[in-house]
Every structure is written in structure tokens, then in C-alpha cells.
Amino acid sequence: MKTISFWIRSLVEYGLKNALIRAEDRVYITNALLEALHLSEYEETEGAPETDLETILGAMCDYAAANGLLEMDSVVCRDLFDTKLMGILTPRPSDVIDRWNALYKKSPETATDDYYRFSRATDYIRTYRVKRDLKWTVPSEFGEIDITVNLSKPEKDPRAIAAAKRAPQSGYPKCVLCRETEGYAGTLNTAARQNHRIIPMQLAGADWFFQYSPYVYYNEHCIVLSGAHTPMKIEEGTFRRMLDFVSVLPHYFVGSNADLPIVGGSILSHDHMQGGRYEFAMERAEMEIPLTFAGFENVHAGIVRWPLSVIRLTSSDKEAITALSVKILNLWRGYTDADAFIYAETDGEPHNTVTPIARRRGDAYEMDLVLRNNITTEEHPLGVYHPHEELHNIKKENIGLIEVMGLAVLPARLKAEMEALRTAILAGADVSADETLSKHADWLASFRDKYSFTEENTEEILRREIGNTFVRVLCDAGVYKCDAAGREAFLRFVNYVNEG
């Protein structure tokens, strides 16, 4: 039976191995961990320490639960407690920023490589949870599409949900993206962030901050957040900040969710962007129709071959890209084309906006402007340009920035449902009679006759069809369809821009 002293030593050794602490810190950190565990005694233990962080923290949370240090033995309370322990090992913000600045002088890649390693080492990014996500790719007419079933966000225990509802509500931090979350102890309603450190950046003359997403849906998935708690708004400053960001970190892309409900992200209350070191299918997609914009002859432009409606601008002139992006945005905000069912507003509610993405192409800058519209109808109450109801068994949530670029972030429920569906298919069962699987009955019927299902191929077929369905989801989100009529309508807007 390993003692708590063994687990304390193992965590201290982990901190040393991962450069979170130095040898001179060993006694200090040991005593700080004793305090967190409400202990006053420590015994040196023999034998090799445990090296797996999940095992170490799990054992220490077991001790805390057994000794009344947790409000309840739930995932939420364990996360609060083990983050507190990791916060003891995490260097102060000033030290982290100094290290970033020193490494950035060597190269931007050196700085991000180290900061990403650090964010995983502190357990801010729980790599052992991220590994649980299901990931695969599916070929399509638009290129290889990425699919992930998100399993890294833990399900909340019903007891924790009830306790959180009873807990006093706080206005600090104002939201999960506020800079004030750095070092915050957390509550039953708010994640602990004692092990979280952020990097300050000046973007377009304003204070912004750089961090990684704890859920890393793709390589080096980062979040760039405003220092002020202000709502999302796509405007000239957005384009300037994006182009400044890819100047600071030219090996990263950055994008912003749209600033309207339905076509925006899950957090519209705090201005932020997302980026990272990953090539999405949309980036690989080619321009299929070249465009020319009067007065911007130094900007190479075109319509991208992609399910959504994308105008791509490429130039070495940042000011030209910014000015043209602003012009397109402003004219799109007020654009109505009834024949294409595009309305700038109804009953005073605005509908048009864009999802912008910036990157570098060698020495040049590139901006993708994805045209979005959030109008609803009785037939499509969740949005005309939103996944339609027949696809909700796979994807019902908003099509945000990540999905726009070609990565499906699908709900955790699909893992169990696809396993059950596989079993039902092989057994020849009536899916429509199953309470859980009936939502997939029409979907399955749409492709069942195309295949001969076996033990070996059924899972692969389901994954392929999930990918095909996600492409249909993206087509639903496009304001202009990928056919001759859609392209004609798209070009009417382009002409409108040139006339404006």
C-alpha cells in the first residue's frame, strides 16, 4: 500500500522532470503540498516514484476524498482539488512571461513549442483526457474532412450540478475567457485555473492575451482573448488584430467566430479568437473562381471551392487586405437578395456577418471571409443556414469557426450510440423500435442498402457516413449553394461589392 508521502514525492519528482520547479524548490513544494493535504508529517519513501500524472493525481484525490477534503467525491470536486495541487508546482506568471520573451527572441516556433509543452505539463491541458477523443478523417469532394467525437470534457455528476445550482453566484471572473481566471481557485460553477498562465500581446494597439485551449481539438489549439470583457464584434479592428497575430506568430492561423447567434460560437459575451498550428481542409481548398475588386488590384482574390461561401484575399499588403475585408463586411451587413433568400435584417434584427480566418502564405497574408446569415423560419426555427433537422441525429449544435474550416466537433453521445447502432445492424434489429437509436433510423435507411455489413467493416462504414453527413451539414450552413444557381447568386454579391 503506497502512502500519501509516496504520492507527494512522485508529484515533486514530476515537477522536477518537467521543469516546473527546480531542485532548490523541493522542500518548499513538499511543504506546500502537505499544507494542501492538511498534513503536518512527511516520510521519505524508497523505490522509484510513479511517473504517470493521471495516476499520481488520482491517488492524491482518493486520499482527499477519504479524508474529507472534498465537498463530494465527484469529477468536478476532484478537478478543483488536483488543479490546486498542480498550481503549487506552476511558476508565477511573471516567470512564465519572461521565459516566453527569452525564447521568442530565438524564434516564434521555439516560444510556442515550449509554452505548449508547459501547458500540458501543468495539467492545464489534461492530455490523458484529450487522448480519449475519437478522431478520424473522411475523403470528400472538398478534400479530407476531420471528424472528432469530443470525450475530453467530463460529464458533470448530477450531485455536482445540484450543488452548483445551490452555490452563491459570483460575478468574478465575469466569464471563462476573462484574464482574471489566471490562478483562480474555481468553484462548483467555474473551473479551477491555478495552473493556468497566459501570455500578453499587443494586437492593433490593444491588450490581448494568448493561451491554449484545455480541450485542444487540433494541434496547438489556442485562444486569443481581449483583456476587456467586451462582446464579440466583427469590425475593422478584428481584421487588424488577426493580421497582427499572424505577424507575431507566422506559423499559426487565427480566426474569429461570427458575432451573431446561431452562426457564432458558444461565447458571444467576450471578444476572442481561436488559432493554432494546424492545416484544415478549407486552407487546402483551392480558389475555383478568380475575382477582381476595383481599387485592390494588388490583392489576389477568389471564391474558394468549399461547402460554405468563402471569399479568399491574399496579398503582401496588410492595409489592402484590411481595407477590402472591411468593405466586403460592411456591404454584406446591409445586403439583401430575396431571390437567394438572403435578408440583411427582418423586423430590425440583423442577419448578415462573416467568420474570418487569417494565415500566412510565405511572406504574404491571407484572409478568408466566410459569409454567414442567421435568419430563421417556421420550417427551420434553428436557422435556415444551420444543420437541418434531418441531420440533428449527428450534429445539431452551431457551426462555429472550427466546423467552418472542416473539423466536425461531435457530441460525446455518438460514441455509445454508434456502438449500439453497430450491434443493432449486425443483429438485423429494428432500429426504429429502439428508444435511443430511433433518431438514427432514417439516417441509416438512407445508406443501408449501399453496403454489405460485416463484423469487420460496420464501424468504418458508420464513420464514413458520419463524415458524409458532416459535409451535408456544411452545405446547409452555406448561404450560397455549390451549384450554378448558387455561384450566380454569389457573383451578384461580388458585383455589388465592386459597385459599392
Side-chain angles (χ1 to χ4, degrees), residues 238 256 369 448:
T238 307
S256 174
L369 300 175
R448 192 167 196 164

Side-chain angles (χ1 to χ4, degrees), residues 207-388:
D207 292 332
W208 281 62
F209 295 86
F210 170 71
Q211 66 179 58
Y212 288 107
S213 165
Y215 305 112
V216 286
Y217 292 136
Y218 50 85
N219 187 49
E220 298 181 39
H221 178 186
C222 67
I223 300 172
V224 192
L225 54 95
S226 171
H229 181 74
T230 54
M232 294 283 292
K233 183 171 177 58
I234 306 298
E235 57 187 355
E236 179 178 344
T238 307
F239 304 129
R240 292 192 179 279
R241 285 189 292 271
M242 292 171 66
L243 295 174
D244 277 1
F245 179 84
V246 296
S247 297
V248 174
L249 299 179
H251 57 301
Y252 274 28
F253 79 89
V254 71
S256 174
N257 269 305
D259 53 358
L260 294 178
I262 297 176
V263 295
S266 58
I267 301 176
L268 295 176
S269 61
H270 193 119
D271 202 2
H272 67 285
M273 305 180 289
Q274 296 182 74
R277 195 173 190 174
Y278 192 73
E279 185 182 70
F280 289 87
M282 192 176 82
E283 180 180 347
R284 296 189 295 269
E286 297 181 353
M287 291 193 291
E288 64 175 346
I289 301 178
L291 303 175
T292 301
F293 291 99
F296 297 94
E297 286 73 17
N298 61 339
V299 177
H300 181 57
I303 294 174
V304 178
R305 176 165 171 70
W306 191 244
L308 286 93
S309 309
V310 185
I311 297 175
R312 177 167 293 167
L313 312 175
T314 308
S315 177
S316 58
D317 187 340
K318 287 171 66 175
E319 288 300 319
I321 286 188
T322 299
L324 182 51
S325 297
V326 171
K327 181 177 182 179
I328 292 171
L329 169 66
N330 289 341
L331 289 172
W332 175 249
R333 293 268 196 206
Y335 183 72
T336 290
D337 182 348
D339 291 340
F341 203 78
I342 294 171
Y343 294 90
E345 58 87 21
T346 54
D347 299 323
E349 179 185 349
H351 297 306
N352 289 347
T353 185
V354 302
T355 299
I357 301 104
R359 65 183 73 90
R360 299 295 293 272
R361 291 274 191 187
D363 293 332
Y365 295 87
E366 189 164 271
M367 182 77 73
D368 283 349
L369 300 175
V370 186
L371 306 181
R372 312 298 302 275
N373 180 288
N374 75 346
I375 195 169
T376 61
T377 63
E378 289 187 7
E379 182 183 3
H380 299 295
L382 296 182
V384 173
Y385 306 108
H386 179 85
H388 291 171

Side-chain angles (χ1 to χ4, degrees), residues 59 63-64 129 141 165 182 235 241 313 343 380 455 470:
Y63 175 88
R129 287 186 182 167
E141 62 176 300
K165 188 175 181 180
E182 184 180 40
E235 57 187 355
R241 285 189 292 271
L313 312 175
Y343 294 90
H380 299 295
E455 286 275 356
F470 179 63

